[in-house]
C-alpha cells in the first residue's frame, strides 16, 4: 500500500480539507488472452496492488486533479474541451463524462491519485484508476450504482473518451475482486463467479519484463478488427454468430480453410482459448493445478504462434519459468507486445521460483524485471476512515482479528 498518511498530508497541503479515500485493484488474467472483446470467458484475479483516490467535494463544478506519479495538478471545468492527445487526465475526465451521461450532473471534486500498479505492465493500471475515480465521484455525489454499471461506465470512458478500445474484463475485475478467488467472467452476460484458489498449494507469480513495445496499442486494435473480420466471414453461412464466442474450433476448422492465413490463425487462437478457459475452470474447481498450469502454458504458445502478440522478452520470461522447480504453468498476460507474464508455482517453491526467475531474466537480457508473488484480493471500495486515518499497524488487535 502506498503511504496513505503521506498522501493525506499531500492532499491537505494542495487542496485543504479532510478527504475520503477509495481504492481499486489492478488485475492479472490467469487465462483467456484477448478473449474479452470476443465476448468469451476469462479468469482474472484482482491483485494486491491498487490505485488510491483521495477525494472531497467542491462547491463549484470544477475537477481539480493531482497525480502523485506525474506530480502534476490540473483544473478542468465541465465544459472544457477534450485534449487532442491521450493524457493521464483523460482517464479521470472520461469517467466524470461517462457518469454524467448516466445520471444527474456531478458536483466538482478535488482528487489526489496515488497508485502502486505499474503503468503499461499488463496489470491494468488504467481500469484501477477509472474504477477508483468512479467510486469517488459517485460517493461525493451521494449516488450509488451497481458494480456492473460502474464497470461499463468506466469502459465507456476508456473506449469513447480516451479512445482505447479495451474490453470489459479489467473494469469488472477491479469491481468484483474477491480475496482468495479467481473470477470467472462471462464477457457477454457480464456474470462474475468467484472461484477459490488454494493459495496454500499454489501461488501466482507476476513478472514484468519492463519492456513495452511502441506498437502495442495499434496492434491491439488490429487484432480486434481481425476478429471482427473472422466473425463477419462466419456470418455469411451462420447468421446467428455474433462473435467468435459463438463457434468452436472443430467447426471453424473446415469453414476457414480458404481464409487468409492470418485471420484463420487469429480465430483459431480465440476459439481454442475459450475451450482452454472452460477446461481451466474445471481444473480449478477440482484444485487440479497441474492441468490448470498446462493450460496456461498452452495459452501462451497459442498467443505466440497464432495470435502473434508476444515479444522476445515475454518468451524469454516464460522459457525461464518452465525450467524452474515448482513450475506449473506460465503465459503472457494483458494485451502483449511486452508487459508481464503470470506463472503458477507450487507454494513451497514460490519464493525461490520468483527470485530465480528475476535473476535468470536479468542475466539473459541485462534488464531487471519486477517479479512478485501476488495475492487474489478484494475489489474496489471506499477505505474505512479508521484504516485511513490510523496507521494499520496501530489498529487494536481485536479490531483486526474481527475482520
Ligand atoms: P495498463 O492499463 O496496462 O497499465 P494502459 O496504457 O491501459 O496500461 O494505461 C496506463 C495509463 O493510465 C498511464 O499511461 C496513465 O495515463 C494512466 N494512469 C494509470 N494509473 C495512473 C495514475 N496513478 N496516475 C495518473 N495516470 C495513471
Ligand atoms: Mg489498460
Amino acid at each position: 500500500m502506498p503511504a496513505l498518511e503521506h498522501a493525506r498530508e499531500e492532499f491537505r497541503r494542495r487542496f485543504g480539507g479532510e478527504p475520503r479515500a477509495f481504492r481499486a485493484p489492478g488485475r492479472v488474467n490467469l487465462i483467456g488472452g484477448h478473449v474479452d472483446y470476443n465476448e468469451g470467458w476469462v479468469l482474472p484475479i484482482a491483485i494486491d496492488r491498487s490505485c488510491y483516490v483521495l477525494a472531497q467535494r467542491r462547491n463549484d463544478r470544477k475537477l481539480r486533479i493531482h497525480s502523485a506519479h506525474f506530480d502534476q495538478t490540473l483544473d478542468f471545468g465541465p465544459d472544457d474541451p477534450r485534449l487532442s492527445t491521450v493524457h493521464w487526465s483523460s482517464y479521470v475526465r472520461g469517467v466524470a463524462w461517462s457518469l454524467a451521461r448516466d445520471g444527474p450532473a456531478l458536483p466538482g471534486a478535488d482528487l489526489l491519485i496515488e497508485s502502486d500498479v505499474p503503468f503499461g505492465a499488463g496489470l491494468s493500471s488504467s481500469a484501477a484508476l477509472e474504477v477508483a475515480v468512479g467510486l469517488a465521484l459517485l460517493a461525493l455525489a451521494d449516488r450509488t450504482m451497481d458494480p456492473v454499471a460502474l464497470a461499463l461506465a468506466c469502459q465507456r470512458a476508456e473506449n469513447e473518451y480516451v479512445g482505447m478500445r479495451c474490453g470489459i474484463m479489467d473494469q469488472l475485475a477491479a469491481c468484483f475482486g474477491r480475496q482468495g478467488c479467481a473470477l470467472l467472467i462471462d464477457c457477454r452476460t457480464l456474470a462474475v463467479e468467484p472461484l477459490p484458489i488454494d493459495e496454500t498449494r499454489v501461488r501466482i507469480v507476476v513478472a514484468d519484463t519492463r519492456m513495452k513495445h511502441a506498437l502495442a496499442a495499434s496492434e491491439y486494435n488490429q487484432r480486434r478488427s481481425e476478429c471482427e473480420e473472422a466473425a463477419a466471414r462466419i456470418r455469411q453461412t451462420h447468421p446467428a454468430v455474433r462473435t467468435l464466442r459463438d463457434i468452436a474450433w472443430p467447426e471453424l476448422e473446415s469453414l476457414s480453410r480458404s481464409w487468409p492465413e492470418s485471420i484463420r490463425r487469429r480465430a483459431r487462437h480465440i476459439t481454442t482459448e475459450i475451450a482452454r478457459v472452460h477446461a481451466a475452470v474445471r481444473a480449478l474447481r477440482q484444485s487440479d493445478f497441474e492441468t490448470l498450469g498446462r493450460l496456461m502454458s498452452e495459452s501462451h504458445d497459442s498467443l505466440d504462434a497464432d495470435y502473434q502478440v508476444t515479444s522476445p522478452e515475454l518468451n524469454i520470461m516464460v522459457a525461464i519459468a518452465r525450467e524452474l522447480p515448482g513450475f506449473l504453468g506460465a503465459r503472457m498476460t494483458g494485451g502483449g507486445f511486452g508487459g508481464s507474464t503470470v506463472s503458477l508455482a507450487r507454494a513451497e517453491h514460490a519464493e525461490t521460483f520468483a527470485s530465480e526467475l528475476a535473476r535468470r531474466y536479468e542475466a539473459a537480457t541485462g534488464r531487471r524485471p519486477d517479479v512478485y508473488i501476488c495475492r487474489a484480493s478484494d475489489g474496489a471500495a471506499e477505505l474505512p476512515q479508521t484504516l485511513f486515518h490510523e496507521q494499520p499497524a496501530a489498529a487494536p488487535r481485536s479490531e483486526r482479528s474481527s475482520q
Side-chain angles (χ1 to χ4, degrees):
M1 185 188 291
L4 277 183
E5 196 51 38
H6 174 76
R8 189 162 63 118
E9 288 301 323
E10 185 74 8
F11 188 98
R12 283 195 190 124
R13 204 168 60 74
R14 290 188 181 275
F15 300 123
E18 285 301 325
R20 293 164 70 178
F22 303 82
R23 181 192 71 85
R27 63 96 190 96
V28 63
N29 191 21
L30 300 182
I31 194 161
H34 285 260
V35 163
D36 64 345
Y37 55 80
N38 288 287
E39 299 186 317
W41 293 260
V42 292
L43 194 64
I45 64 163
I47 59 174
D48 47 353
R49 290 196 181 185
S50 297
C51 181
Y52 297 82
V53 171
L54 276 55
Q56 77 179 350
R57 188 175 167 134
R58 292 176 60 88
N59 293 325
D60 58 19
R61 293 195 51 215
K62 265 195 193 158
L63 213 46
R64 290 197 74 198
I65 55 181
H66 177 79
S67 161
H69 177 89
F70 292 103
D71 192 22
Q72 189 178 32
T73 310
L74 296 165
D75 267 30
F76 297 100
D79 303 318
D80 285 359
R82 294 184 196 191
L83 302 177
S84 54
T85 53
V86 176
H87 184 261
W88 68 266
S89 61
S90 311
Y91 294 85
V92 180
R93 295 177 70 201
V95 172
W97 164 85
S98 185
L99 291 176
R101 281 184 38 175
D102 288 335
L106 295 164
D110 295 325
L111 305 176
L112 184 143
I113 297 154
E114 170 87 79
S115 179
D116 61 0
V117 187
F119 298 178
L123 303 179
S124 201
S125 68
S126 57
L129 172 60
E130 291 150 16
V131 172
V133 166
L135 268 189
L137 293 178
L138 288 170
L140 297 184
D142 289 324
R143 266 173 69 184
T144 53
M145 199 181 238
D146 87 74
V148 172
L150 174 59
L152 285 167
C154 290
Q155 183 200 22
R156 180 170 63 192
E158 188 154 344
N159 287 172
E160 295 180 29
Y161 195 96
V162 180
M164 300 295 292
R165 297 183 68 200
C166 61
I168 189 63
M169 168 174 68
D170 302 354
Q171 291 81 4
L172 283 175
C175 288
F176 283 91
R178 179 83 64 88
Q179 197 181 337
C181 291
L183 305 168
L184 170 60
I185 301 179
D186 179 331
C187 297
R188 174 172 284 167
T189 65
L190 309 186
V192 182
E193 183 186 355
L195 299 175
I197 303 181
D198 186 349
E199 289 176 298
T200 66
R201 288 184 54 197
V202 287
R203 301 303 306 273
I204 293 155
V205 181
V206 170
D208 180 0
T209 61
R210 291 271 174 86
M211 281 293 285
K212 187 79 188 170
H213 297 269
L215 287 175
S218 61
E219 291 279 352
Y220 180 90
N221 287 339
Q222 193 191 331
R223 293 299 178 283
R224 287 196 67 145
S225 305
E226 288 166 338
C227 290
E228 284 161 14
E229 182 182 335
R233 284 172 178 272
I234 300 165
R235 266 196 298 277
Q236 290 171 1
T237 48
H238 297 61
V241 168
R242 197 162 94 188
T243 62
L244 290 173
R245 167 199 173 117
D246 297 315
I247 193 160
W249 175 246
E251 189 178 1
L252 189 55
E253 182 171 18
S254 51
L255 204 65
S256 62
R257 285 225 168 90
S258 61
W259 291 10
E261 184 60 18
S262 64
I263 303 295
R264 186 166 199 253
R265 281 169 172 252
R266 306 302 183 243
R268 181 165 65 182
H269 166 71
I270 297 297
T271 52
T272 59
E273 184 77 351
I274 287 173
R276 280 186 289 273
V277 175
H278 291 313
V281 167
R282 282 194 296 277
L284 184 56
R285 287 188 199 281
Q286 295 163 6
S287 292
D288 174 0
F289 297 116
E290 286 77 15
T291 302
L292 177 60
R294 182 176 48 74
L295 290 160
M296 289 169 67
S297 296
E298 287 173 14
S299 166
H300 182 83
D301 293 340
S302 176
L303 286 159
D304 185 30
D306 276 354
Y307 218 63
Q308 297 179 313
V309 290
T310 60
S311 67
E313 296 80 14
L314 286 166
N315 288 341
I316 289 170
M317 193 73 86
V318 166
I320 294 170
R322 285 177 178 172
E323 300 298 315
L324 295 176
F327 169 83
L328 288 161
R331 60 185 286 278
M332 59 151 269
T333 187
F337 300 102
S340 300
T341 65
V342 55
S343 300
L344 193 69
R346 292 186 198 282
E348 64 274 24
H349 291 278
E351 294 286 345
T352 47
F353 181 93
S355 57
E356 266 303 288
L357 188 58
R359 193 187 66 74
R360 293 195 198 180
Y361 177 84
E362 187 174 355
T365 63
R367 194 173 286 273
R368 179 162 298 177
D370 181 15
V371 179
Y372 77 106
I373 303 171
C374 60
R375 282 198 178 277
S377 299
D378 282 332
E382 180 168 5
L383 296 183
Q385 289 291 312
T386 46
L387 174 64
F388 179 42
H389 288 296
E390 294 164 21
Q391 292 296 339
R397 180 164 289 280
S398 58
E399 208 173 288
R400 274 188 286 157
S401 55
S402 69
Q403 283 176 359

